[in-house]
Amino acid sequence: MDYFHELPEPLALKILCEFKQVCASHPETLLSLACSNKWFASKLSEPSADVLWNRAWSAAKLRRPAAAAEEQKISPAMTVMPRDKLRLAGFVGCMLCGAKSIRKVYWEFSVRCCKDCLIQHSVAEYILKEEYGLDPKSFQHLPSREVELYHPRKGAFTMKTYWKDHLLPVLQQEHNVQSFEEFVEQKESGKKQEMDRKNQEEQVKDAKRTERREQLQEWCKEDGVDLDIAGKCSQTYKRNCNLAMPLKRKAYERLLPIIKTELEEGQRQILHRQLLQEQAVEAERVQAQRRTENKRKFEQQGSMAKQQKRPKESCMAASRVTCSVCGGSRLFSANGLRDHTIAKHPNSKPSALPEYNLPNLPGGLI
């Protein structure tokens, strides 16, 4: 039994007056008092109690500078009461999992929590629209938080996120669920049922296609149609093999002339392609043969040129060409020997120069 709940009203008022003096030194006690019983909760919710909450919040900011820093992050469009400021920014720790040293306050969601809890209890807008099929008009009026992200292909973009508990009234009204997890399970089961239904329909269609294909192949064989060529050349045959409906005899009799015409045209195209391929192979063979013959001729001409090549012309004479005047043994050409004779033996007349018994020099060097 809660005896504190049965306090007389005069005693409760006296306690409340004493707390006015305690707020400056211990602001968190005011929240504890508001949670003690309904009478204190109702009294501290009245507009006249705003003075106490403002005094407690001012004391909390002086004791914790981080609380004042978090207050600066409140959007100007938001209105946050001092009681909520004290409850969120005046304490440390995750409100959901109890992790210590957590000071980050998400004012849009009125919660102080760690990143893991934020990810667990919030959901992106595109997931609500695309995966769960919710109408944006039903939840766009709820508080949301914009997150800036970056994608390597899309670049920088902004994504809205919503708190799952805030979505619960909408989900209860439209889908009759009691929690967001139940809504997700309902959607997943619906997707599974839809997938099973589509698989069953696809199996039925596959059975009909198989039956139609077998019937068409049986009748085509009776009429002498080559199924291998029909599968390659006839578009009508291939299209009718993939239809998921029964094939009637009258419909087949209308399709048969078309299939045969396409087969004849396809065979002509195959023969034409084979002829073109054979011509290309023959042309390549002729070119290769010509290249081989030209290479052989070039090699033969090169070998004949080497055999018929004259010795390299030299401006030098043989070693036995010597000067008849001084008997020099230096190698001379015909012109060099005359120049030597005139330069070294100027008294010798060119007309009196003896005839040199020069060998047959290459290139007409005489």
Side-chain angles (χ1 to χ4, degrees), residues 237 239 335 339 344:
Y237 174 81
R239 183 173 61 254
N335 294 331
D339 294 339
K344 298 295 183 179

Side-chain angles (χ1 to χ4, degrees), residues 49 59 108 186 201 203 266 290 348 365:
E108 300 87 355
Q186 187 181 40
E201 291 180 355
Q203 290 176 1
R290 288 179 181 176
S348 298
L365 297 177

Side-chain angles (χ1 to χ4, degrees), residues 25-38:
S25 57
H26 301 284
E28 65 277 2
T29 56
L30 192 61
L31 280 175
S32 301
L33 183 63
C35 299
S36 60
N37 61 19
K38 295 182 179 179

Side-chain angles (χ1 to χ4, degrees), residues 58-248:
S58 300
K61 289 193 292 184
L62 293 176
R63 296 184 60 186
R64 295 187 177 90
E70 288 295 330
E71 185 185 18
Q72 300 298 324
K73 299 177 183 179
I74 300 176
S75 173
M78 296 178 60
T79 302
V80 183
M81 302 301 293
R83 176 175 180 171
D84 295 330
K85 292 180 181 179
L86 179 63
R87 179 176 60 87
L88 297 174
F91 298 89
V92 178
C94 180
M95 299 173 64
L96 302 176
C97 67
K100 299 180 180 180
S101 302
I102 301 298
R103 295 181 174 85
K104 176 64 177 176
V105 177
Y106 300 97
W107 297 103
E108 300 87 355
F109 302 146
S110 298
V111 65
R112 179 183 68 255
C113 64
C114 58
K115 290 184 178 180
D116 294 337
C117 292
L118 176 68
I119 296 173
Q120 182 180 357
H121 290 82
S122 61
V123 60
E125 182 181 20
Y126 77 93
I127 295 178
L128 296 174
K129 292 191 296 185
E130 297 178 5
E131 294 189 11
Y132 299 148
L134 288 178
D135 186 6
K137 295 181 181 179
S138 62
F139 60 83
Q140 283 183 346
H141 64 281
L142 299 175
S144 62
R145 177 173 177 265
E146 293 185 353
V147 182
E148 295 183 358
L149 300 175
Y150 178 81
H151 192 273
R153 296 180 181 177
K154 299 180 181 179
F157 65 98
T158 303
M159 179 182 66
K160 279 187 176 183
T161 58
Y162 293 86
W163 198 251
K164 292 180 179 180
D165 291 344
H166 294 170
L167 293 166
L168 188 57
V170 178
L171 300 179
Q172 288 177 346
Q173 181 179 0
E174 296 184 0
H175 299 276
N176 194 21
V177 294
Q178 301 301 322
S179 64
F180 189 85
E181 289 73 15
E182 183 181 353
F183 168 72
V184 174
E185 291 178 0
Q186 187 181 40
K187 285 294 181 180
E188 293 296 333
S189 62
K191 289 182 180 179
K192 187 177 180 180
Q193 293 176 0
E194 181 68 18
M195 189 177 298
D196 294 340
R197 184 185 62 81
K198 289 183 178 179
N199 290 336
Q200 291 178 359
E201 291 180 355
E202 191 63 28
Q203 290 176 1
V204 173
K205 290 182 180 179
D206 289 341
K208 292 182 179 179
R209 292 190 190 99
T210 303
E211 182 181 357
R212 182 186 180 90
R213 181 169 57 251
E214 292 176 354
Q215 184 66 54
L216 179 61
Q217 291 176 353
E218 181 181 354
W219 287 343
C220 286
K221 285 181 180 180
E222 294 176 357
D223 293 327
V225 177
D226 192 341
L227 299 180
D228 294 335
I229 300 177
K232 296 178 181 178
C233 303
S234 178
Q235 296 294 331
T236 303
Y237 174 81
K238 291 189 289 186
R239 183 173 61 254
N240 279 271
C241 285
N242 293 324
L243 293 178
M245 60 177 61
L247 179 63
K248 297 182 180 180

Side-chain angles (χ1 to χ4, degrees), residues 2 9 26 136 212 224 255 343 345 360:
D2 190 1
E9 185 174 348
H26 301 284
R212 182 186 180 90
L255 294 174
H345 312 291
N360 294 327

